[in-house]
Amino acid sequence: MELSAEQQKMMAEISQASGLAPKAKPITQIEDEEVTRFSSGDSELDLVLGGGIVPGSLVLIGGSPGIGKSTLLLKIGGNLAKRNSKILYVSGEESGAQIKMRANRLGANHESLYLLSEIRLEAVMAEVSQNGYDLIIIDSIQTLYSDSIPSAPGSVTQVRTITFDLMRMAKEKQIPVFIIGHITKEGSIAGPRVLEHMVDTVLYFEGDASREIRMLRAFKNRFGSTSEVGIFEMTHEGLVSAKNIASKFFSRGKPNAGSAVTVIMEGTRPLVIEVQALVAESGYGNPKRSTTGYDASRLTMLLALLEKKLDLPFNQYDVFVNIAGGIKINEPAADLAIIAAIISSFRNRPLSDESVFIGEVSLIGDIREVFHLEQRLREAQTLGFSKAILPNKPSFKTPMKCYVAEEVAKVVEWM
Ligand SMILES: Nc1ncnc2c1ncn2[C@@H]1O[C@H](COP(=O)(O)OP(=O)(O)O)[C@@H](O)[C@H]1O
Ligand SMILES: [Mg+2]
């Protein structure tokens, strides 16, 4: 049955009045939207965000206490304030005077950076709608609470509801909002994990609070890739881009047994790092395995492989593995270096300090190629290394002397 023009109009009116106007459109008719971004004034943060801050985005920055969340965001607030943006820094943790002291140290003092020591969400919202801001920083989500919810500040319900309200505000007003979330060990306070699905971008700080190097990694990003990593160094002036950290993850000098160097990729950046192993005869019972910055089950696998392929009696030895500089390794390209370090410690024989070890070790004991080999070798060469132990001959020209070890036994031979 055909509807007359009159009928069609009436139908449209009825459905509009009932709020049921059809809204779905063919995807081809949806207009493309360019994501606009602006710089945070910090090249590392921009990199992790996928090129800068997106208006109206909600960004969660998580990390353990003391890692540098407040430091980074206060600095960003200062950067943007200096470029004529009006910034609101809400703190439920520190007094204005405390924050001011930090801002002095970071060089973030500026009249366009506003501080609000407040824990009531309603008061924060009122401030934003009355005075208008270009960017808002919440430090931290766990200290805010909403009057409308009976549960305690920091509880899952509180944290979720507040985040939802902040999200709505961010989208409506097209203001970016940065939320700090503490990673806590106690279960009584909701960690940032419960918010991951709600926000646009999730960044986590990694690193040891007692060391200077901090990594900022994207775990989720609706506006960009999650492959880039920001690398910072904690200094008196705050977190500064650790562009020139290249040589911070290994030490040169008298070679020591149990130390081997590899090149890992952090995002698009190659990093030369030192892995350390300590192999020591164990007492009775179960030998100990312990790792810092390296996957413990991967170590167990490598040890089992060495036992099986090379007849090394690791079941009678404690094995400890540590990655220098407080870095965490998530890629298998370091396997070869781990093995080399373990054997070097076991035999108490230092490795040549001119060599880097790059290769993934498989369960059957062969050594596999890794991505971005050219970049890795170039970085190693820049830092003064001259030899590389690799699974196969590189297909490109390199001034490095390359030794091929296509299986674990060959590494031992080389050593
Ligand atoms: N005067 C200072 N000089 C250098 N570093 C400092 C100074 N004061 C504090 N820090 C560093 O800042 C860290 C605190 O960072 P902060 O941003 O408050 O962490 P979070 O907000 O993640 O808990 C401390 O762990 C310390 O390393
Ligand atoms: Mg803080």
Side-chain angles (χ1 to χ4, degrees), residues 64-72 94 102 105 139 182 209 214 234-236:
S64 42
I67 198 106
K69 303 177 294 295
S70 305
T71 304
L72 178 67
E94 289 160 304
R102 181 183 290 138
R105 179 160 58 84
D139 187 1
H182 291 297
R214 311 288 153 90
M234 181 62 91
T235 69
H236 183 72

Side-chain angles (χ1 to χ4, degrees), residues 265-338:
M265 297 299 294
E266 280 296 357
T268 50
R269 263 190 293 218
L271 277 187
V272 176
I273 58 160
E274 178 186 346
V275 307
Q276 298 157 353
L278 174 65
V279 179
E281 235 170 300
S282 57
Y284 296 101
N286 278 344
K288 286 197 195 71
R289 271 83 179 97
S290 160
T291 58
T292 312
Y294 189 71
D295 183 15
S297 56
R298 192 134 189 110
L299 171 64
T300 314
M301 187 277 269
L302 293 178
L303 288 174
L305 192 74
L306 289 178
E307 268 199 70
K308 183 147 189 193
K309 293 276 166 186
L310 305 177
D311 264 335
L312 298 174
F314 284 121
N315 56 352
Q316 294 159 36
Y317 286 83
D318 294 337
V319 180
F320 305 92
V321 163
N322 174 46
I323 310 301
I327 267 202
K328 251 192 220 153
I329 295 189
N330 316 331
E331 66 158 348
D335 289 352
L336 193 55
I338 301 272

Side-chain angles (χ1 to χ4, degrees), residues 20-283:
L20 292 174
K23 298 249 172 63
K25 280 188 198 166
I27 193 166
T28 48
Q29 286 177 23
I30 310 279
E31 276 175 42
D32 291 326
E33 199 179 358
E34 283 263 323
V35 177
T36 55
R37 299 170 192 275
F38 60 94
S39 171
S40 66
D42 183 295
S43 56
E44 298 294 303
L45 181 63
D46 284 353
L47 181 75
V48 184
L49 287 173
I53 303 173
V54 177
S57 62
L58 194 62
V59 180
L60 173 67
I61 299 204
S64 42
I67 198 106
K69 303 177 294 295
S70 305
T71 304
L72 178 67
L73 289 186
L74 188 62
K75 177 80 185 186
I76 301 301
N79 290 348
L80 294 169
K82 285 176 193 162
R83 296 191 199 162
N84 294 325
S85 292
K86 197 172 162 191
I87 312 297
L88 179 64
Y89 190 103
V90 180
S91 179
E93 308 204 332
E94 289 160 304
S95 68
Q98 278 172 311
I99 300 170
K100 172 83 190 272
M101 223 160 65
R102 181 183 290 138
N104 285 340
R105 179 160 58 84
L106 306 180
N109 257 332
H110 192 273
E111 58 187 10
S112 299
L113 176 58
Y114 288 75
L115 296 187
L116 178 65
S117 281
E118 182 56 69
I119 55 170
R120 280 180 54 241
L121 175 72
E122 286 74 14
V124 175
M125 291 298 194
E127 173 67 30
V128 174
S129 44
Q130 278 161 31
N131 295 324
Y133 291 93
D134 302 312
L135 184 135
I136 296 162
I137 298 161
I138 305 286
D139 187 1
S140 65
I141 191 73
Q142 283 116 336
T143 50
L144 270 194
Y145 81 96
S146 167
D147 291 335
S148 62
I149 306 154
S151 53
S155 66
V156 174
T157 338
Q158 280 283 4
V159 163
R160 280 206 178 132
T161 314
I162 293 165
T163 304
F164 185 75
D165 288 354
L166 289 170
M167 167 72 101
R168 217 164 40 192
M169 186 215 6
K171 303 292 167 204
E172 263 165 27
K173 299 190 195 294
Q174 283 296 295
I175 319 173
V177 177
F178 281 81
I179 296 177
I180 289 176
H182 291 297
I183 293 178
T184 54
K185 292 217 170 72
E186 307 90 65
S188 56
I189 298 180
R193 295 246 119 165
V194 302
L195 304 178
E196 283 176 347
H197 66 286
M198 306 175 70
V199 301
D200 296 309
T201 302
V202 180
L203 311 179
Y204 281 117
F205 261 117
E206 281 173 9
D208 193 334
S210 63
R211 288 187 162 129
E212 295 85 39
I213 299 296
R214 311 288 153 90
M215 317 269 259
L216 187 63
R217 220 181 270 280
F219 273 71
K220 162 183 172 178
N221 194 353
R222 287 195 182 137
F223 307 114
S225 92
T226 52
S227 59
E228 293 296 350
V229 179
I231 307 178
F232 298 92
E233 186 176 6
M234 181 62 91
T235 69
H236 183 72
E237 285 81 36
L239 287 163
V240 296
S241 163
K243 278 216 186 69
N244 305 316
I245 48 152
S247 53
K248 290 228 158 107
F249 301 109
F250 65 92
S251 59
R252 267 296 190 43
K254 198 172 151 282
N256 285 314
S259 153
V261 175
T262 187
V263 191
I264 58 165
M265 297 299 294
E266 280 296 357
T268 50
R269 263 190 293 218
L271 277 187
V272 176
I273 58 160
E274 178 186 346
V275 307
Q276 298 157 353
L278 174 65
V279 179
E281 235 170 300
S282 57

